[in-house]
Amino acid sequence: MTAPIPGGGRSGSALRTASLRTRTVLAVLALMVVLLIGLTVSVDVIYGAQLRTQLEDRLEDRAAAAASLVGTVDSDELADRLSAQGLSVRIESAAGEEVVAGPSPDQLREGPPAGLGPDGGPRPGPAAESGSSADTSTSGEVSVAASAISGDDQLVTLVSTLSDGSTLTLTASTAQISATVAQLRTVMAIAAAAVLMLAVVGVLLVVRSTLAPLTRVTTVARSIASGDRGRRLRPDRPRTEIGRVASAFDEMLDDVEGAERSALDAEARMRTFVSDAAHELRTPVAGIRAAADTLVRADLSRDDRELLATQIARESGRASRLINDMLMMARLDRGLDLIPTRVDLGRLVRSEADRLSLRRPSLDLRTRVPDRPVPVDADVDRLGQIVSNLVDNAARATGGDGAVVVEVLVDDADAATARIVVTDDGPGVPAEERERIFDRLVRLDPSREARAGAGLGLPIARGIARAHGGDVTCVPAPRGARFEVTLPLAVA
């Protein structure tokens, strides 16, 4: 069994209401941190690779300069000149003689040599300058035939094979490169921290300005909850995100206000209906009670007793009809259950008119129906109730002895609709009352209450017609009243 959610429904998850401002700021800052870290790592890798490439290029330049000095200076002096720049030098002649100068590779791993320049490469010295001079004088005698570079995070080693068969090995430390990259990393970390601090202030200001419309939504909602129901947001750009929220908010308020008005109107109508129904029932009940009291308490003759019994039966029938009509209105409000069958509308109207003629012999009731069938899918009893209510209404309007005509018409222009038209020669219905008479318990002439109905016949007729997909309306007529019932024809 699902446990109820405190303050909410029994199902569904609660709406997350964390601070949108905080979430937005944190999300933007997290994105900036990721971007700054990515930028720092990219600069670190790219700049370190460029410095290492520059160091390798300079080692190749030193090897080329040393090759140009071969033959002009001996191997020991050449090795001393190269080692003076902080390099580990090893020269192996073609005959197998080996000359080593400068710090060893292990010594280079222990710390940066003094001979490296601030950019991580060998600092130019006399040897390089002499090598350049010798290169211009004896260029082309000995040169670098092949080179191979190897190393790790701390050392770079260049092995060059010279054209005379000797081998020159130069090893340089990358400690200065690491130090330069570390300094760059520190500078970028400080700059990133400063940028993030500025970003926090800027994002807070921007988010506060951006979320200002939501603050207004909250203000309007609270004012509406306090009773100011007429306030609306009315967004100037309804297609934006906040505009769509504001439009939906306004539409919701309009619907709520309309539903509230409908509920109040329905409540008012219900109170009026209950009051009128009680008033209608009070008359026959009072008559029944008075007649019953007289029968019980008074010593009456047989004729008087029969008269009072007849009055009780008549008033009981009146109360019963009113109760039945009220029950019918309740069924119409709830949704009337129909049993539709295929029926000829002309035959149904003629049969109902014959039955009403027997019940109201003084009424001049005539029918006019087409020669051809007019098929409709309808509940026969309910459709007969529409005709009966309209004819009873016409009979009351004409005093019970007027002329009433019931017609069945099919328009050639609208072959999908049939009409039942009921006309009388009574006083007619004023134009301003033609719609109001379909309200419940409405009578146009309260002075004729004794013979008038309860004012439910026309609302019941309209409700039944609408349940069939049609309607009942009161239309202008040259004389008397004219009521038209529209019904959809049956599909072949």
Side-chain angles (χ1 to χ4, degrees), residues 29 32 36 186-202:
L29 292 181
M32 292 189 66
L36 288 174
T186 301
V187 171
M188 292 196 66
I190 296 173
V195 169
L196 286 176
M197 293 179 62
L198 294 176
V200 169
V201 178

Side-chain angles (χ1 to χ4, degrees), residues 141-173:
E141 295 183 359
V142 178
S143 62
V144 177
S147 297
I149 295 179
S150 61
D152 50 27
D153 293 339
Q154 296 178 332
L155 298 177
V156 175
T157 301
L158 173 66
V159 179
S160 300
T161 303
L162 305 184
S163 57
D164 63 349
S166 60
T167 301
L168 175 63
T169 302
L170 302 178
T171 302
S173 174

Side-chain angles (χ1 to χ4, degrees), residues 13 63 92 108 143 218 280 282 345 404 446:
S13 58
E92 184 179 356
L108 290 176
S143 62
T218 304
E280 292 291 335
R282 183 176 59 183
L345 191 59
V404 179

Side-chain angles (χ1 to χ4, degrees), residues 200-421:
V200 169
V201 178
V203 171
L204 284 175
L205 295 176
V206 172
V207 170
R208 179 178 298 177
S209 175
T210 303
L211 298 182
L214 293 181
T215 304
R216 185 186 171 194
V217 172
T218 304
T219 303
V220 172
R222 288 177 176 171
S223 65
I224 292 172
S226 301
D228 189 3
R229 304 297 176 85
R231 294 196 62 181
R232 296 293 184 271
L233 294 173
R234 297 183 178 86
D236 56 347
R237 298 179 180 177
R239 294 188 177 182
T240 62
E241 292 80 2
I242 297 181
R244 286 194 293 268
V245 172
S247 299
F249 185 81
D250 287 349
E251 292 172 2
M252 180 193 66
L253 291 178
D254 292 338
D255 293 341
V256 170
E257 195 172 16
E260 184 180 15
R261 285 195 299 266
S262 300
L264 293 176
D265 294 341
E267 183 180 0
R269 288 195 302 268
M270 180 58 68
R271 289 178 178 177
T272 302
F273 177 73
V274 172
S275 176
D276 292 343
H279 176 73
E280 292 291 335
L281 284 173
R282 183 176 59 183
T283 301
V285 169
I288 294 172
R289 180 178 180 181
D293 287 343
T294 304
L295 280 173
V296 172
R297 299 177 185 277
D299 186 11
L300 303 175
S301 63
R302 181 177 179 179
D303 292 339
D304 291 337
R305 286 180 177 276
E306 290 180 355
L307 181 61
L308 289 175
T310 302
Q311 182 180 352
I312 290 175
R314 184 173 60 250
E315 295 298 336
S316 298
R318 181 180 176 186
S320 177
R321 286 192 302 273
L322 178 59
I323 292 173
N324 290 334
D325 288 343
M326 293 172 64
L327 290 175
M328 174 57 70
M329 292 304 304
R331 292 191 189 99
L332 290 173
D333 291 339
R334 187 175 63 249
L336 190 63
D337 293 330
L338 300 176
I339 306 176
T341 58
R342 183 65 56 86
V343 60
D344 180 8
L345 191 59
R347 180 180 298 178
L348 183 145
V349 168
R350 189 183 293 111
S351 175
E352 190 66 25
D354 293 341
R355 187 184 66 81
L356 292 171
S357 296
L358 295 176
R359 198 178 65 168
R360 295 180 178 273
S362 61
L363 187 66
D364 182 12
L365 181 59
R366 289 168 288 178
T367 59
R368 298 172 187 170
V369 298
D371 296 333
R372 58 188 176 88
V374 182
V376 294
D377 291 328
D379 189 315
V380 176
D381 294 336
R382 300 303 184 190
L383 207 56
Q385 190 174 359
I386 295 177
V387 178
S388 177
N389 286 3
L390 293 179
V391 172
D392 287 342
N393 180 75
R396 294 189 188 97
T398 60
D401 55 1
V404 179
V405 179
V406 183
E407 300 178 86
V408 176
L409 304 175
V410 178
D411 296 335
D412 295 334
D414 187 6
T417 304
R419 289 185 297 158
I420 302 175
V421 181

